[in-house]
């Protein structure tokens, strides 16, 4: 491994470790911390530090399996407001692949090894789909730029890993080892630096949803109450939250205040971030539709779109987050009660 590669991955490892501490200190969403944990392990593996081959192989495969899901979950948590780690069902295939890798022998052991980059690539593509369907939620603070860069890099890591496995399987080096490792080091460094830069430049992207948990947030001023009252009046008459493309900037312009003033007003008057407040309004509207007898013929997808959600999966996750059950179960229980 070249000296340049060692320097790049070493710096990336240190930055990843520092950002894990950043996430713990500021109570950032667990999805973000998961990304930095995976990046830290990735960089450590490729620094060339002594690791037994029996450990290095399974560790690399596990990292390649988990990269796509954690990036996808970072996008999902930004959309739904869920602050937890990756849901356990998404871990099951990784565990199965790891057991397979450790217990199988012969050519059959290559199946999970080949599946690892494909799995990560599939999640990366799915994350891009969710990002595109809910892009209005990412406009605030130019978060869409950073998310798009990270998603592109996540897909590129999957493609590059597939390329490396193909070289190893064919036992033919298209690129020399030194060049390949340098390109890989550059990729991991770019991913890490993008995350770190994004976290430092736009911390509200991560920390907005945790502001309600901070006891130091100031009490609402008269101006905050006036701004929030204007927002509530518009929500009550025009219901702009039913538009999936509505965002902080458009509503602030409609109320004739700055985005920061509107965000502060919502945070201080509701103890919720703007996105969480918007989602609660949409979930509340969906509950009205689900309990409206004239809307019983509407599908869950129709109700999701009518309530301002970009996709059915986003709606299901948000609805369950605030009500404790999926919308289909909520509708079923209502029918049984009536």
């Amino acid at each position: 491994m070249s000296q340049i590669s060692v320097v790049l991955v070493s710096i990336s490892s240190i930055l990843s470790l520092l950002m894990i501490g950043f996430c713990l200190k500021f109570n950032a969403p667990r999805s973000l911390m998961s990304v930095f944990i995976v990046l830290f392990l990735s960089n450590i593996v490729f620094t060339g530090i002594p690791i037994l081959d029996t450990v290095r192989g399974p560790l690399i495969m596990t990292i390649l399996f988990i990269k796509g899901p954690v990036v996808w979950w970072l996008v999902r948590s930004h959309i739904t407001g869920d602050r937890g780690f990756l849901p356990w069902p998404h871990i099951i295939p990784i565990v199965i692949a790891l057991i397979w890798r450790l217990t199988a022998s012969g050519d059959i052991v290559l199946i999970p090894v080949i599946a690892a980059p494909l799995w990560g690539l599939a999640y990366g593509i799915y994350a891009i789909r969710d990002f595109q369907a809910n892009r209005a939620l990412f406009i605030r603070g130019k978060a869409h730029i950073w998310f798009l860069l990270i998603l592109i890099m996540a897909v590129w890591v999957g493609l590059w890993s597939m390329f490396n496995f193909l070289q190893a399987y064919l036992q033919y080096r298209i690129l020399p080892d030194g060049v390949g490792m340098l390109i890989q080091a550059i990729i991991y460094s770019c991913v890490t630096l993008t995350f770190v830069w994004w976290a430092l430049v736009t911390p509200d992207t991560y920390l907005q949803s945790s502001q309600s948990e901070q006891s130091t947030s100031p009490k609402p001023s008269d101006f905050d109450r006036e701004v929030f009252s204007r927002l509530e009046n518009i929500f009550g008459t025009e219901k702009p939250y039913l538009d999936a493309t509505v965002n902080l900037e458009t509503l602030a312009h409609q109320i004739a205040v700055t985005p920061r003033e509107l965000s502060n007003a919502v945070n201080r008057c509701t103890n919720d971030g703007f996105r969480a407040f918007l989602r609660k309004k949409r979930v509340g509207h969906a509950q009205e539709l689900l309990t409206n007898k004239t809307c019983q013929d509407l599908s869950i997808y129709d109700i999701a779109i009518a309530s301002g959600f970009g996709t059915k999966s986003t709606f299901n996750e948000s609805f369950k987050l605030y009500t404790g059950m999926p919308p289909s179960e909520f509708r079923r229980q209502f029918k049984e009660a009536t």
Side-chain angles (χ1 to χ4, degrees), residues 21-238:
F22 166 89
C23 293
L24 291 171
K25 179 176 177 58
F26 294 101
N27 194 27
R30 296 295 178 262
S31 56
L32 177 64
M33 187 166 68
S34 301
V35 171
F36 283 118
I37 291 173
V38 171
L39 284 174
F40 175 72
L41 293 175
S42 301
N43 286 310
I44 287 295
V45 166
F46 292 103
T47 53
I49 63 173
I51 300 178
L52 293 175
D53 290 338
T54 54
V55 177
R56 181 183 291 275
L59 181 59
I60 291 176
M61 190 201 70
T62 302
I63 290 171
L64 290 175
F65 251 106
I66 199 68
K67 272 179 185 278
V70 296
V71 171
W72 166 79
W73 184 242
L74 180 67
V75 174
R76 298 300 299 170
S77 64
H78 189 81
I79 295 170
T80 64
D82 193 324
R83 294 175 50 77
F85 284 109
L86 182 71
W88 65 266
H90 297 273
I91 305 294
I92 293 177
I94 302 171
V95 175
I96 294 174
L98 182 59
I99 295 174
W100 189 324
R101 172 69 175 76
L102 293 173
T103 58
S105 59
D107 289 342
I108 196 172
V109 78
L110 293 176
I111 293 178
V113 174
I114 296 171
L118 291 173
W119 183 260
L121 182 62
Y123 267 94
I125 294 172
Y126 193 65
I128 290 177
R129 193 206 71 167
D130 280 348
F131 170 85
Q132 177 66 19
N134 299 274
R135 59 189 180 278
L137 294 175
F138 296 88
I139 299 298
R140 180 177 179 271
K142 297 184 178 179
H144 61 297
I145 298 175
W146 306 113
F147 267 106
L148 190 58
L149 284 173
I150 290 163
L151 289 171
I152 291 173
M153 289 177 186
V155 171
W156 171 250
V157 167
L159 291 172
W160 179 253
S161 301
M162 291 167 60
F163 173 74
N164 280 335
F165 281 132
L166 184 61
Q167 283 192 124
Y169 182 72
L170 297 176
Q171 296 183 344
Y172 176 76
R173 284 287 172 185
I174 301 174
L175 292 174
D177 285 341
V179 175
M181 293 301 285
L182 178 59
I183 293 175
Q184 192 160 259
I186 291 173
I187 291 173
Y188 284 119
S189 299
C190 288
V191 173
T192 304
L193 290 172
T194 299
F195 269 110
V196 172
W197 177 256
W198 179 25
L200 296 178
V201 173
T202 57
D204 283 353
T205 301
Y206 305 120
L207 305 179
Q208 182 192 23
S209 59
S210 66
Q211 288 178 355
S212 61
E213 300 173 13
Q214 311 261 340
S215 59
T216 57
S217 57
K219 294 181 179 180
S221 64
D222 291 339
F223 178 73
D224 292 329
R225 295 189 183 92
E226 180 186 349
V227 171
F228 185 70
S229 177
R230 282 188 244 166
L231 179 66
E232 286 279 72
N233 287 336
I234 292 177
F235 274 17
T237 55
E238 303 177 23

